[in-house]
Amino acid sequence: MGHMSAMFNGIARSLLMKKGRNSGYCSGAEAVKVESEGKKHDLILRTSGTVNVEGSDNFASVFSRRGEKGLNQDRVIVWEGFGCEENMIFCGIFDGHGPWGHFVAKRVRETMPLSLLCNWKETLAEASLDTDLDLESDKKLHKYNVWKDSYLKTCAAVDQDLGQHRKIDAFHSGTTALTIVRQGKVIFVANVGDSRAVLATTSDDGSLMAVQLTVDFKPNLPQEAERITQCNGRVFCLDDEPGVHRVWLPDGESPGLAMSRAFGDHCVKDFGLISVPEVTQRHITGKDHFVVLATDGVWDVVSNQEAVQIVSSTPDRAKSAKCLVEHAARAWRSKRSGLAMDDISAICLFFHSCPLSPQQIHDVTNPKQ
């Protein structure tokens, strides 16, 4: 991919020197150039499929299935060579809700990557001009802070864009957003909502285990509930949904959101709902094999360890996301009979070019008690 990176550098430099009127966004025309080059060389995937660029350690499998509630409101994206950097990949999964949820999810999917790219480059440039900052003393912390600041700026800009968009009603509709940037041997995870990222890694005894990388931001989490109630929002369960906590306006029975963070849903933004991401990082070692990003349509019926087992035991990695989604669909029928199945989407990002060994597959299929 080295020649691709070199080809994009000139475009990227011009893009990143120009900003639009809204903070956090690049010049529209130049942004389209970078994005079109990515699509031209099959570096960007927005549907079910795979991303496997020659010479890259990354291999991504993507699959999305419509539920039983109408249109599929889930949206996905994988962008190899993100930021015109051959060692970076961006993955995002977005779970829309409400009457306009599919439009909101699509809009966030389209605006977030380029906004993040612009903010990342800007933040890097500003840090390089800070004479009081010793970049060599703590490179890991510096990288994390750059990405965290970039994500915070990006999410604020993306939510503002939704509020000002004339053709999308984001007042009573919204979307979650779970994204990952892999930069070399480090992954940076940013989560807004209740989608989840789960890492498959080798434990000390040699078996494959699941490590949850994100928090499901549900309204009943103590820190989330406190914020909402302090803003005069309400958190409670309906009588016919025991255990399902939702966010409500101070008066009236709306909107009833099952998550405490989301883009859009501006009707409750003054009552505790936020679009601020939780940003974390993890250094990838030889023990780490892949990460699963999935909407709650998966996690409502599949455990973390089950997901790792399903993905690792799929002989063809290209079909790993589909196998996970189809397993979740069957679990919905058996575990939640009578309930309309949710939309189900997953991205499986493999970190190494070589698949798991037969022994590792055996270990995760038959974990030691």
Side-chain angles (χ1 to χ4, degrees), residues 71-145:
L71 291 171
N72 187 348
Q73 295 189 308
D74 288 355
R75 295 294 182 268
V76 294
I77 183 172
V78 175
W79 186 341
E80 177 71 278
F82 181 60
C84 308
E85 302 284 342
E86 59 185 70
N87 70 334
M88 290 214 300
I89 187 169
F90 176 90
C91 300
I93 197 160
F94 312 90
D95 185 355
H97 53 263
W100 289 69
H102 50 299
F103 292 112
V104 176
K106 181 180 179 181
R107 179 66 179 178
V108 174
R109 181 189 64 181
E110 300 308 308
T111 58
M112 192 176 204
L114 287 172
S115 176
L116 179 63
L117 175 58
C118 289
N119 282 311
W120 175 65
K121 290 287 189 179
E122 274 197 348
T123 307
L124 274 178
E126 291 169 359
S128 66
L129 297 176
D130 188 349
T131 56
D132 295 329
L133 185 63
D134 185 1
L135 300 184
E136 295 300 322
S137 63
D138 198 341
K139 286 186 176 180
K140 289 183 180 179
L141 180 61
H142 169 65
K143 278 188 175 181
Y144 169 72
N145 287 334

Side-chain angles (χ1 to χ4, degrees), residues 277-293:
E278 179 188 59
V279 183
T280 58
Q281 69 173 344
R282 182 181 176 100
H283 184 77
I284 301 170
T285 70
K287 293 184 176 182
D288 301 328
H289 301 282
F290 60 84
V291 64
V292 176
L293 286 72

Side-chain angles (χ1 to χ4, degrees), residues 1 52-56:
M1 280 180 52
N52 182 22
V53 177
E54 184 179 356
S56 172

Side-chain angles (χ1 to χ4, degrees), residues 139-167:
K139 286 186 176 180
K140 289 183 180 179
L141 180 61
H142 169 65
K143 278 188 175 181
Y144 169 72
N145 287 334
V146 167
W147 280 110
K148 182 178 180 180
D149 290 348
S150 302
Y151 263 114
L152 291 173
K153 293 175 184 176
T154 294
C155 290
V158 168
D159 209 31
Q160 181 182 22
D161 166 77
L162 286 171
Q164 298 173 345
H165 204 287
R166 296 181 178 180
K167 296 183 179 181

Side-chain angles (χ1 to χ4, degrees), residues 152-276:
L152 291 173
K153 293 175 184 176
T154 294
C155 290
V158 168
D159 209 31
Q160 181 182 22
D161 166 77
L162 286 171
Q164 298 173 345
H165 204 287
R166 296 181 178 180
K167 296 183 179 181
I168 297 177
D169 180 6
F171 193 70
H172 293 104
S173 299
T175 185
T176 65
L178 170 59
T179 65
I180 281 185
V181 174
R182 179 185 180 182
Q183 185 180 28
K185 295 296 183 181
V186 184
I187 57 172
F188 301 92
V189 186
N191 186 34
V192 176
D194 58 358
S195 293
R196 186 187 304 171
V198 173
L199 175 77
T201 189
T202 304
S203 64
D204 292 338
D205 64 8
S207 63
L208 207 59
M209 68 176 185
V211 177
Q212 187 168 324
L213 300 179
T214 55
V215 174
D216 301 343
F217 284 113
K218 300 290 189 179
N220 60 314
L221 290 177
Q223 71 274 17
E224 301 295 290
E226 181 180 3
R227 183 188 67 246
I228 293 166
T229 54
Q230 285 184 348
C231 294
N232 295 322
R234 295 182 297 161
V235 176
F236 62 87
C237 307
L238 295 175
D239 293 338
D240 59 351
E241 289 184 317
V244 181
H245 293 79
R246 296 181 180 276
V247 182
W248 309 88
L249 288 168
D251 301 306
E253 295 185 357
S254 66
L257 294 179
M259 73 287 300
S260 57
R261 302 190 187 196
F263 289 101
D265 297 306
H266 290 287
C267 64
V268 281
K269 277 289 161 65
D270 290 334
F271 302 101
L273 185 80
I274 61 175
S275 58
V276 178

Side-chain angles (χ1 to χ4, degrees), residues 45 47-51 59-65 76 78 93 290-294 298 302 307 310-312 314-330 344-350:
L45 178 69
T47 60
S48 299
T50 60
V51 173
F59 185 101
S61 172
V62 182
F63 195 78
S64 181
R65 172 175 175 151
V76 294
V78 175
I93 197 160
F290 60 84
V291 64
V292 176
L293 286 72
V298 169
V302 177
I310 294 163
V311 173
S312 64
T314 303
D316 185 355
R317 291 192 298 175
K319 298 178 180 179
S320 57
K322 181 178 181 179
C323 286
L324 177 59
V325 168
E326 295 297 345
H327 179 94
R330 292 191 296 270
I344 310 173
S345 302
I347 299 173
C348 302
L349 175 63
F350 294 86

